[in-house]
Amino acid sequence: MEKQFDPKSFEPRWREHWRGLFAAEAPSERSSFVIMIPPPNVTGKLHIGHALQTALQDLLTRWKRMQGYNALWLPGTDHAGIATQLMVERQLESEGTSREELGRERFLERMWAWTAQYGDNIRQQLERLGASCDWSRERFTLDEGLSRAVREAFVRLHEEGLIYRGEYMVNWSPVLDTAISDLEVETRTVQGKLYYVAYPVEDPDRAGAEPERVVVATTRPETMLGDTAVAFAPGDPHYAHLEGRHAVLPLVGRRIPFVADPAVEAEFGTGLVKVTPSHDPADFEIARRHGLPAIQVIDRRGRMTEAAGEELAGLDRFEARQKVVDRLREGGHLVKVEDYVHNVGFSDRSGEPVEPLVSTQWFCDVSGMAERALEAVRSGALTLVPPTYEKTWEHWLANVKPWCVSRQLWWGHRIPAWYAPDGRVVVARSEEAAAEKAGTRELRQDPDVLDTWFSSGLWPFSTLGWPEETEDLRTFYPTDVLVTAHDILFFWVARMVMMGYHLTDRSPFHTCHLTGLVRDAEGQKMSKTKGNAVDPLELVEEYGADAVRFTLTILDSPGRDIPLDPERMAGYRAFGNKIWNATRFALTRLEGSDARVLPELGPEGLAAPERWILSRLSRSAEEVSERFAALRFDEACNRLYHFFWGELCDWYIELAKPPLLGRQSADERPRVGEVLLSVLDRSLRLLHPVMPFLTEELWHRLPGREAIHPQTIALAPYPERRPDWEDADVEARMGALIDAVTRVRSLAAELGVRRGQDLSVHLWAEPDGDPGLAAFLEEQKTVLEWLCPTGDGGAVELSPAPAGASRDLVAGVNLGLVALAREPGAEERERLVGELGKLEAEIGRTRERLANRQFLDKAPPEIVEGNRRRLAELEERRERLAAGRGAR
RNA sequence: GGGAGGUUAGCUCAGCGGUUAGAGCACCUGCCUUACACGCAGGGGGUCGUGGGUUCGAAUCCCCCACCUCCCACCA
């Protein structure tokens, strides 16, 4: 075996080995455990956030699979309407053409070709990370099966009146040339201007005289061309006299009425609002209340319309703004301009300011469904992890508005609605059904497609064959855990839950684990434009998939974003190396012996170090599973790391060296090889869900592991707690031994004893303590000699130290060190003084506490008792330390 | 304008009522000790954001304030 492990040398082999191994069975006798992948964009590339989610989903799936569940992790991809169409459109643009020029049919051919070209990318990337998906069940949102589910859902919701078509104000993206939902609008605070414009008031009684002028404030002067009223707050004394009168719109000359409307705040600006029903959601509502006409002056591409007048027609809305301002100024209508910080909605996909437009769209009324989604979380049918998201959930769902589900795109699920020549609209599952309903074949299908999230919302069951009652649906639905980033809680999670309840009467999963966003080492959001985005595959290339997975997993602490530091990843690659070398040690040392992994073993007849590591292993196994179950992956990984490195490597392997190197007889230490191999076997299995490649590689090298599973560690049982292995007495005594050895080493270092220099180490049990400890130390003499730095001329003596030794008392073990040839150092004295100072302080605090009546009366007895014992030990230590010091 | 979260070692973060606050990395001192220098042994480093309160006892619970982050929101 190599001294350093090289992930690249074995990862491809195991990917190959695993192929086809993770197909779930349906039907099955076993309980199932199901995770649906949040489908990545089919033509996209996995980013580091995907890598995090992949690591966690795979961890859960592998863990449950090893526990014997019929585990299904269903993979797939999303057609991602806007994003994908945009990519292809850009490509067309570079070819000097456009989708309009190509026409819908040829454009879609192009889209499919593009999709086919990238279709395998996601799969390959997931495999690189070690994802144990069931590839036989892979799905794509535009698959026939899923498309059928989409039509079914749409038709049902339409029949129930929950999907309807109507003319409303929507958020329009001029760049994308489509309506977008409220969620796709990102509000940004921008520095803008507030323009004060004077509108003359028409006054027939004072014809010819200088007219009264009122001033309105606006951030968007270009929209004034579409004004159809001026509004003031009802009861505003400043403007009550305008009731029933008209203003004359500057530049246009149109007579527009004054109206009183509660949406207007008398306190803001001038207390007057220009009303542009076509280009402002609030104005749209005002117009509706007062029956005002709407004049559209900006078109769907963000250009001024004919209605804006000859001079401006065709001009971009922002150029038009400047022009309008110029004209107003020239006409003396511009009273003043102020700097103004306000919020503007931007299209989050294309980045330009959204243009509110009135248009005919399909909407989904989700208010009723939201009720059940709220109830699901309140009742515990659905658990959000971490629970801090419950409030966000409440707030959003309690205030949901109708969801605009139609998009003026070509790439996606075409809306299953057809128009008859006479204008009737028919919604049906197919064109045939529509023709039957309409009584004519002369139908034109709605050109629009559905919001991508509509199909994503059906993902947990559409992937299993819904609306058919398939075997898969029966076996795997509802699913168990959803793992996704918190930024799509509403986009996706909420909609899945709403759709799930509405269409299948159950929550599509019982637990939703929301991860943080992966950021760079400085905590900056990763983005392509900033250039700090990390490609997970490059990380895999450099550190190995296991290190990438381990790092992301241990950093996943609830409710936190994840700062990804390459240094840290190097640290966990080192952990992989540690695992590699621990195994290498065992295999090298045991080469030629007949020691094998034992499927079953017990502590009977074993020496203390062996019983200790088994006891620690049992406890670690329990904690790890418990932490996995609680979705505390960070804590689980910490346990794994600490057990393997801190207990198994730092102590047990060292403890195993005397017998393995022939310094201790097999009588004193029976079956050390078997224990070591068996502990390694269990440890690798414990680690497997997080570090699948390395553990598989090493596990196959362990002699005897075939008895556990002939084929793969991935199907070997996950180690469980073994109460018969746990031994509190052994843990206490071995703990004392470890503490004593550690203190011996640090005292030796303080004494300036160098490696190889002779040192006499005295160890003896404190008389009042554990009565078995002395015998135990006697038993472990060989081990102690191995662990203590005595040099060739020194020794470990299990008897009280002579006067003049440096002394201490640790965990019931007295220790005294005599450096056989040393110069007393000033540093050592300093350190002792410091140590004594700390001890004094703590003794003082503890005494005070114990002298406090209130503490004695109110604190639980075991705490008080603990403090008493602590004080006794502290005082004992002080004495020992002082004695050693006094001797010098 | 609402809401949520954060503020703990140089950095990134755990800990969230009980004795001596932890980890990884970084740092310092020794070591190439036959598993591993992606290593071993030892070590330094924190008045747990400020100010109050509850409690025998507070990083931990409550209140105030400060600063940071995110989400939601039609004051033109």
Side-chain angles (χ1 to χ4, degrees), chain A residues 65-367:
Chain A
R65 187 184 292 121
M66 289 175 81
Q67 285 190 329
Y69 285 82
N70 179 31
L72 167 63
W73 181 15
L74 190 144
T77 48
D78 193 284
H79 65 283
I82 293 177
T84 315
Q85 175 164 330
L86 218 53
M87 279 193 265
V88 174
E89 283 195 81
R90 279 201 197 111
Q91 197 187 33
L92 291 178
E93 200 184 319
S94 73
E95 294 168 17
T97 176
S98 68
R99 71 172 155 126
E100 287 82 2
E101 218 164 284
L102 231 54
R104 186 162 191 146
E105 202 168 317
R106 285 185 54 210
F107 179 74
L108 284 177
E109 277 168 25
R110 200 52 198 262
M111 290 296 307
W112 280 102
W114 175 270
T115 301
Q117 188 183 335
Y118 288 91
D120 271 353
N121 277 16
I122 296 292
R123 176 178 179 155
Q124 280 163 18
Q125 293 177 69
L126 286 170
E127 284 189 330
R128 282 297 298 280
L129 287 162
S132 65
C133 300
D134 179 353
W135 294 104
S136 70
R137 289 188 165 83
E138 186 178 1
R139 295 288 184 274
F140 175 46
T141 47
L142 282 179
D143 277 352
E144 182 42 42
L146 274 70
S147 301
R148 190 180 154 198
V150 166
R151 289 194 298 273
E152 178 69 26
F154 189 95
V155 172
R156 280 199 205 174
L157 290 167
H158 180 259
E159 282 167 355
E160 295 167 65
L162 295 176
I163 282 184
Y164 54 90
R165 186 165 173 262
E167 192 177 38
Y168 296 91
M169 176 148 283
V170 296
N171 304 296
W172 191 274
S173 162
V175 167
L176 301 172
D177 192 22
T178 178
I180 55 180
S181 71
D182 296 347
L183 279 176
E184 288 160 296
V185 177
E186 182 198 344
T187 9
R188 287 188 218 154
T189 303
V190 298
Q191 176 63 250
K193 302 223 182 281
L194 192 58
Y195 302 86
Y196 290 81
V197 184
Y199 286 15
V201 180
E202 190 188 63
D203 192 345
D205 299 340
R206 295 171 56 194
E210 188 65 22
E212 180 188 0
R213 301 205 316 172
V214 293
V215 177
V216 301
T218 178
T219 53
R220 302 198 57 196
E222 71 279 14
T223 63
M224 68 161 290
L225 304 169
D227 283 5
T228 56
V230 174
F232 56 90
D236 184 345
H238 298 100
Y239 302 115
H241 68 285
L242 296 173
E243 183 88 58
R245 298 172 63 185
H246 289 77
V248 179
L249 195 58
L251 308 188
V252 181
R254 183 163 59 238
R255 282 180 78 233
I256 55 175
F258 285 99
V259 296
D261 192 278
V264 181
E265 296 271 343
E267 312 305 320
F268 185 85
T270 59
L272 278 183
V273 181
K274 59 190 266 315
V275 180
T276 319
S278 286
H279 300 289
D280 184 280
D283 293 1
F284 180 78
E285 293 303 322
I286 295 176
R288 170 171 286 199
R289 285 193 281 270
H290 298 276
L292 300 168
I295 298 170
Q296 185 177 344
V297 292
I298 301 172
D299 71 10
R300 47 195 280 172
R301 303 313 297 244
R303 288 176 306 236
M304 305 311 286
T305 63
E306 298 294 330
E310 206 175 314
E311 189 192 357
L312 296 168
L315 217 56
D316 174 80
R317 53 189 167 148
F318 298 107
E319 290 169 26
R321 174 176 304 173
Q322 198 47 55
K323 269 243 159 83
V324 168
V325 170
D326 290 346
R327 295 288 169 272
L328 287 172
R329 189 174 280 127
E330 287 160 19
H333 303 289
L334 193 61
V335 177
K336 63 173 170 175
V337 182
E338 283 177 352
D339 282 335
Y340 185 60
V341 176
H342 62 135
N343 294 326
V344 177
F346 285 77
S347 160
D348 70 355
R349 260 266 123 66
S350 44
E352 85 284 17
V354 159
E355 186 59 52
L357 277 190
V358 176
S359 75
T360 301
Q361 303 285 346
W362 291 90
F363 294 88
C364 182
D365 172 8
V366 290
S367 51

Side-chain angles (χ1 to χ4, degrees), chain A residues 836-851:
Chain A
L836 274 169
K838 276 188 200 166
L839 262 180
E840 284 297 353
E842 208 186 325
I843 286 169
R845 277 197 304 273
T846 314
R847 274 209 176 120
E848 234 170 83
R849 196 177 297 128
L850 285 167

Side-chain angles (χ1 to χ4, degrees), chain A residues 162 164 364-374 397-403 498:
Chain A
L162 295 176
Y164 54 90
C364 182
D365 172 8
V366 290
S367 51
M369 299 185 228
E371 257 325 299
R372 295 188 72 179
L374 279 168
L397 283 167
N399 298 292
V400 267
K401 279 175 280 176
W403 171 19
M498 291 192 288

Side-chain angles (χ1 to χ4, degrees), chain A residues 381-552:
Chain A
L382 172 63
T383 308
L384 299 180
V385 181
T388 41
Y389 288 103
E390 285 170 12
K391 286 204 172 169
T392 322
W393 183 265
E394 282 275 340
H395 184 258
W396 189 76
L397 283 167
N399 298 292
V400 267
K401 279 175 280 176
W403 171 19
C404 175
V405 294
S406 44
R407 294 289 179 278
Q408 288 63 55
L409 304 171
W410 288 352
W411 181 237
H413 298 277
R414 193 126 171 216
I415 289 175
W418 285 263
Y419 303 97
D422 59 10
R424 278 177 305 143
V425 185
V426 183
V427 170
R429 287 168 178 80
S430 66
E431 184 152 14
E432 291 70 47
E436 202 168 306
K437 259 194 193 169
T440 169
R441 298 207 72 83
E442 264 182 83
L443 293 173
R444 190 175 50 81
Q445 186 171 5
D446 193 301
D448 293 348
V449 300
L450 283 164
D451 181 3
T452 304
W453 297 105
F454 190 88
S455 51
S456 316
L458 312 176
W459 184 252
F461 42 96
S462 64
T463 49
L464 295 172
W466 185 90
E468 292 286 305
E469 252 302 315
T470 59
E471 198 63 69
D472 272 12
L473 195 65
R474 268 196 295 275
T475 308
F476 301 117
Y477 192 81
T479 72
D480 290 275
V481 182
L482 180 82
V483 177
T484 194
H486 69 72
D487 58 344
I488 53 174
L489 184 62
F490 305 134
F491 274 107
W492 193 42
V493 182
R495 276 146 183 187
M496 271 192 287
V497 173
M498 291 192 288
M499 293 285 208
Y501 267 110
H502 194 77
L503 296 168
T504 71
D505 211 29
R506 357 194 20 171
S507 177
F509 32 80
H510 56 72
T511 303
C512 174
H513 177 72
L514 296 153
T515 68
L517 265 32
V518 180
R519 295 169 179 275
D520 71 9
E522 277 74 48
Q524 297 288 310
K525 205 165 176 169
M526 287 194 183
S527 75
K528 278 181 210 153
T529 45
K530 263 188 229 160
N532 63 347
V534 183
D535 178 354
L537 291 194
E538 278 173 24
L539 292 175
V540 168
E541 194 66 19
E542 186 169 357
Y543 301 99
D546 293 322
V548 174
R549 292 171 58 125
F550 197 90
T551 308
L552 292 168

